[in-house]
Every structure is written in C-alpha cells, then in structure tokens.
Amino acid sequence: MLDSDPTSRSRPLTQRSGLRLLASASAFALLLAGCASPTPTANRGEQMVDPEPLTSQAPAGFESYYGQTIDWSECEAGQVTPALMAAPEDLDYYQCGTLDAPMNWDDPDSEPIELAVARYLGAPEDGERPPLFYNLGGPGGGAVESLSAVVANIVTDQVAQAYNIVALDPRGVGASSPIWCMTDEERDADNARDVDVADMSLDERVAWNDAEIATIGNQCLERNGEILGFVDSDSAARDFDMTRAVLGAETMDYLGFSYGTLLGAIYADLFPDHVGRFVLDGVLDPAMNLNEVSAAQIAGMEASLYNWIETCVTGKNCPLGSTLEEGKETMVKFFEDVAASPLPTADPQRPLTEGLASTAVIGTLYSTDSYQLLTQAMAQALEGDGSMLLFLADYFNDRGEDGVFMSNQSDAFLAVNMLDYEPVGTPEQWEAEAQQIAAANPILGADYGFASAGISQWPVESRAPRRSIQAQDAPEMLLIGTTHDPATPFVMAENLHKEIPNTTLLTVEGWNHTAYSASASSCVIGAVDRFLLNGELPKDGTVCD
C-alpha cells in the first residue's frame, strides 16, 4: 500500500518550512544540452565602446548609481564557467566587472553593495548590439558563472551574435555581495540530517519549524548583517534596471527561466516603459502564495516521477518492476528503507540519507534527458549502494568532491524566499493541507503542507512580498509554459497570461522544466528567436512539441 500519512517520513532540514529547491531552472540541463560553440565574430573586447549611461532615468537621489561606468576586464575561465563544464576556448569575448547598488532602494544614503556582472560580446564590427539579460532561475542561481554555458547551450548562435549576452548576479547571489549562512561543515550536516516528525503533535511540529527558522535566521543575520533584509526580488529587479541604464540601453531585452520569470514580471510591473523583448519560460506565478506554490510544485514532481517510472518499466532491465504500480511501490519502500537505515556509499563517512536521496531524485526529474541516469542510480541503490545517488545529490547541492560548496545557492534561496513570501493560514489549515497533499502525492508529498510554518520567525521583515502582476503599460511579452513542467506547472503560465494583458502564451508539450535552448525543437527555437531577433510574436495559443 502507498503510505499517505503526512508525518510518516522525515523531512530533511535543507527543506525547512516547505521551501524546496524546486523553483530553480536546473543547471543540470546545461550539461545535458549539446555543447555547440557559437561562431564568434571578429570584434574583440578592446574594440567595444559602451554608450553613455542614462543617468537622467535614475530615481531621484540615485543618479550616481545610474551614472556609473563599469571597468570591464577579460574574465577568468572559472568566473564564467559552471563546474564540470569545459571553459570556452577563447575568453576574448567574455568581459567581467562590478558595479555598485544601494543596499536599500528606498534610501539613497544607504550603504552600497557590489554586484557582479559579465557579458559575452556578440557584436560584429559593423555595428553595436543591444544587451540581452537573462536569469536561469533560483532564487540563488548565479548568472555570471553560467555565462559560457548559456552562450554555448541555451541561446542559439544567431541570438549570441545579435546581442551582447549579459549576466548579472542578483544581490545576495553568486558573486553579488553573497549571503552565507552556513559553513561547509554545517551545510554537509544539514543536507544529510533527517528529522523524524512522525510522532510529533501539531503543536510540536509547528514549534519545531519555528525553532529551526529562528535558529538559521539569527545565524544568517549574525553572519551577514543588514543586507539580509534587502535581498528581496523587488530590489533585485531594480538592480537590473540600474544596470540597463549603466549600459546605455533605453529598454531591456530579457530571457528569464523559472524564478527568472518572476524577476522579469516584477521588472515589467515596476518599469513598463523600459521593457523590451521579454521571454519568460517556465513561469513562476507571482500571485500564488507559498502554500499554493508548494502544493502545485509537488504535484508536478509526483507526476514527473510517475512519468519516469513508466519510461523505466516500459524499457529493458528496469530495476523498479514491470508495471507503474510496481514501480510506485518500489519507490515508496526505497524511501522508507533509506529513512530507517541510510545506505552505504563509496565514502564511509557519508551514507545516503533520505534527504540526500530525495534531492538526487527530484533534481533528475527536471529533464527527461536525465531519466536514464536516475534509472542507473536507482538500480545501484536498490542493490544496497547509494554512491551514485550521493554524487547526484552533491551535484544539485553544488558540493565539490573536496567537501567545499561551490556556491551559496542554498543560503540565498532561503534568504530571498523568506523576504518574498509571507505566511498564510493557520496550523490547523496546514495540517489539513498536508493530509490532502500526501494523499494525492503519496511518494514525494509526505513532507509538504507546512510551507508557511516558521516564516514568521525570520529575523528581518518582508519589504515587498510577491504579489499579483498586471504590468498593464508594458509592451507584449512572450510566455512559455510546458504542459507537464515538473517545477513550474503549466497552470502558472496560464495564470500569468490572464494577469498580464499584453502577453502571448506559447504552449510546449513535454515533461521538462522550461523549453527554450539551442537543442529545443525547431518550433520553440523559431518562436523565441523570431521574437528576440525581429520582434515577431507567434500566434497566441501556438502549441509546440
């Protein structure tokens, strides 16, 4: 029988308060995509002359920020290259720099923070090209370190040559005044530790969440100071506008994935006159509260897990069984067994816990290209060896083989979401939601339903929580929704399409998280590239495979 008891399995502390790492556009897709290299033009960084900053567009008091210039220099390979990927052969086309932003966009006299920015110069000799900003998702995903992968695997060669591709790490993320809440040792322990909530009463479970959030929140505040209260998405969107003006662009062209769509929607609401060609792929609905997002996402993940199981059992040598129901039973028992007794791995000091196993499974569900990898890892795990699942969990947690975490994505994810969301509902409602979610999603849903628990204990208050976006004065934008997107379900794209009048919705049939890349179908590439290059939108309601 499939267990539907919401407290039957433990919840890893990395997933405290229901905030899951599900809203990130998976960097794993960058490794799975074809590594085509764009053909660079003859123009080099030293030939690039930026337009004058648009200082006159600054909000009152912030003229010095809008009027600054960036001291560009050639990037080092590690600055613009994700882990496990080869650096670009020619770095002449990659420039890195920094710029200042006010910590508080409501106070021109607040302390400045430093933002990291990089760009790929796609402009040919015969003319200047506009910047194309992007964000792959998160919150917590760095943009600068992904730049060469975006150039090689995400945007097409035509787009890479028509624009200067600009990466801006949002505040608190990557190299932009990063938020760090845990040491590597603390993060390792947090990722691996499982807490059994099965015997907790409702009051005890709420108290546990409150204590956990208060503890990590106070630790974050102590280690980061005042900036912890200013890493919200609203402030990040304002940083994007400042950077646009610094680069001398009258409007901002933008390619946003997953959480990056939320940043784009907020920007369009704040700065409709500065919106250029916006593509929002894998829409994260800004109007949904945290409880609604959590429930929608786990339903998407559960459905994707079933799709992987079906793919496995209809193939050869599936370790899960021969039918979908057998595969479901196998996965339920696997998680129960790992919770009771973590699996040994190649590292005697690091057994595979349930929390690490969940991270590995959920991470590979972002792309159907990784299904076979998950099948291999599960085959090994069902034989008693958790090594491959541990490797995958480490990858998704951004942990290097030496135990050093290569980014602050987990800390930034928590810090940004705690400012972006407000608690909704009562403990009794959370408990009822947990029971409903667990019944509907019996494999992955047992730990959901308490998404709002503990948020009130975060030591700094939300300044600009997520809200419904209309952006009524913005020009037409292109939204992309994938019908079975595991992390940002299709209903979110439908919702934003209704909320923002000037949007065109492109529907993509499939099971991947987000749709556009250099290896996508010709239908998707054609729709996006025609818009970015020519301003030509597809017919609203167009469906691509």
Side-chain angles (χ1 to χ4, degrees):
M1 294 292 293
L2 296 177
D3 198 337
S4 60
D5 180 357
T7 59
S8 65
R9 293 211 305 266
S10 59
R11 176 171 57 188
L13 293 179
T14 51
Q15 299 175 352
R16 58 169 61 82
S17 190
L19 291 171
R20 299 326 202 241
L21 286 169
L22 299 182
S24 302
S26 178
F28 201 51
L30 295 176
L31 295 180
L32 296 168
C35 295
S37 298
T39 304
T41 64
N43 193 29
R44 300 279 175 166
E46 60 268 19
Q47 296 173 291
M48 180 70 183
V49 178
D50 285 317
E52 289 295 317
L54 302 177
T55 309
S56 63
Q57 296 184 356
F62 296 95
E63 290 81 5
S64 63
Y65 288 105
Y66 271 62
Q68 65 186 302
T69 57
I70 301 173
D71 184 14
W72 295 105
S73 61
E74 185 177 301
C75 299
E76 296 181 4
Q79 287 179 282
V80 294
T81 308
L84 304 184
M85 288 195 70
E89 294 181 2
D90 191 346
L91 288 169
D92 287 353
Y93 301 95
Y94 292 87
Q95 292 185 325
C96 289
T98 60
L99 67 165
D100 291 334
M103 182 182 295
N104 183 356
W105 274 107
D106 291 330
D107 181 8
D109 296 324
S110 62
E111 289 294 318
I113 62 173
E114 186 176 84
L115 305 179
V117 62
R119 64 183 178 185
Y120 172 82
L121 299 175
E125 291 180 339
D126 61 354
E128 188 178 284
R129 291 295 183 269
L132 174 64
F133 290 79
Y134 72 88
N135 185 279
L136 293 180
V144 170
E145 70 171 1
S146 69
L147 179 57
S148 64
V150 168
V151 170
N153 297 340
I154 300 298
V155 299
T156 61
D157 191 46
Q158 291 78 10
V159 171
Q161 292 187 40
Y163 284 95
N164 294 326
I165 310 299
V166 177
L168 175 67
D169 280 347
R171 55 176 54 207
V173 174
S176 288
S177 301
I179 294 291
W180 290 97
C181 298
M182 292 189 181
T183 65
D184 291 336
E185 292 75 15
E186 290 168 341
R187 174 61 61 196
D188 251 349
D190 201 42
N191 286 341
R193 183 164 57 129
D194 289 335
V195 176
D196 189 358
V197 298
D199 296 325
M200 289 186 186
S201 67
L202 174 59
D203 288 344
E204 288 171 337
R205 187 166 182 181
V206 171
W208 177 80
N209 275 282
D210 284 349
E212 287 299 312
I213 293 296
T215 298
I216 186 62
N218 290 326
Q219 182 172 295
C220 288
L221 184 60
E222 179 182 347
R223 294 179 178 179
N224 297 280
E226 188 180 3
I227 190 178
L228 189 67
F230 298 94
V231 293
D232 54 279
S233 297
D234 187 275
S235 296
R238 296 176 190 274
D239 294 339
F240 271 85
D241 190 64
M242 178 193 70
T243 309
R244 169 203 60 79
V246 166
L247 294 177
E250 289 286 349
T251 59
M252 186 173 88
D253 295 336
Y254 179 74
L255 183 58
F257 299 89
S258 196
Y259 166 78
T261 68
L262 180 132
L263 273 180
I266 293 174
Y267 182 94
D269 203 40
L270 294 173
F271 307 103
D273 293 340
H274 299 161
V275 171
R277 296 169 184 173
F278 267 42
V279 179
L280 307 182
D281 183 1
V283 172
L284 181 61
D285 184 4
M288 279 187 169
N289 64 48
L290 179 57
N291 298 356
E292 293 168 335
V293 170
S294 179
Q297 289 186 323
I298 196 56
M301 283 293 169
E302 185 90 2
S304 291
L305 181 67
Y306 296 169
N307 187 57
W308 163 67
I309 294 174
E310 281 199 291
T311 302
C312 181
V313 299
T314 55
K316 295 180 179 179
N317 302 318
C318 178
L320 307 177
S322 58
T323 67
L324 174 61
E325 289 306 314
E326 286 182 6
K328 290 179 182 180
E329 295 286 351
T330 298
M331 292 303 297
V332 168
K333 185 175 187 302
F334 167 73
F335 281 120
E336 290 175 345
D337 290 347
V338 173
S341 180
L343 285 180
T345 69
D347 184 345
Q349 305 302 315
R350 300 185 67 224
L352 181 79
T353 64
E354 186 201 14
L356 291 168
S358 296
T359 297
V361 171
I362 288 175
T364 50
L365 293 177
Y366 276 76
S367 171
T368 55
D369 288 339
S370 58
Y371 279 12
Q372 184 58 40
L373 192 60
L374 178 56
T375 299
Q376 294 170 2
M378 279 303 306
Q380 184 189 64
L382 292 170
E383 291 293 325
D385 184 354
S387 299
M388 195 168 178
L389 284 177
L390 179 62
F391 170 82
L392 291 171
D394 284 349
Y395 177 81
F396 294 122
N397 284 327
D398 221 11
R399 183 189 190 274
E401 292 183 2
D402 57 0
V404 174
F405 286 81
M406 294 174 283
S407 77
N408 72 327
Q409 64 171 358
S410 295
D411 293 338
F413 176 86
L414 184 66
V416 173
N417 274 320
M418 283 296 173
L419 294 183
D420 277 7
Y421 285 114
E422 295 178 308
V424 177
T426 66
E428 291 74 22
Q429 289 172 329
W430 302 339
E431 184 176 47
E433 290 171 357
Q435 293 172 351
Q436 293 170 1
I437 292 170
N441 308 285
I443 300 178
L444 298 177
D447 299 328
Y448 281 72
F450 282 78
S452 287
I455 293 181
S456 61
Q457 303 303 309
W458 194 248
V460 289
E461 293 185 3
S462 173
R463 299 172 57 254
R466 297 184 186 183
R467 60 194 185 276
S468 178
I469 299 292
Q470 279 79 44
Q472 293 181 356
D473 297 325
E476 194 95 10
M477 293 182 284
L478 177 60
L479 308 182
I480 306 176
T482 300
T483 52
H484 302 287
D485 190 313
T488 50
F490 184 67
V491 65
M492 295 189 180
E494 292 180 308
N495 289 348
L496 193 62
H497 185 40
K498 295 174 184 176
E499 292 161 10
I500 302 181
N502 293 329
T503 55
T504 293
L505 177 60
L506 176 69
T507 299
V508 180
E509 297 283 354
W511 289 87
N512 293 328
H513 180 41
T514 74
Y516 176 72
S517 75
S519 59
S521 70
S522 59
C523 178
V524 174
I525 289 175
V528 174
D529 281 13
R530 280 192 294 270
F531 180 51
L532 289 177
L533 299 175
N534 306 318
E536 178 187 341
L537 284 160
K539 182 180 178 181
D540 190 38
T542 297
V543 178
C544 293
D545 291 329

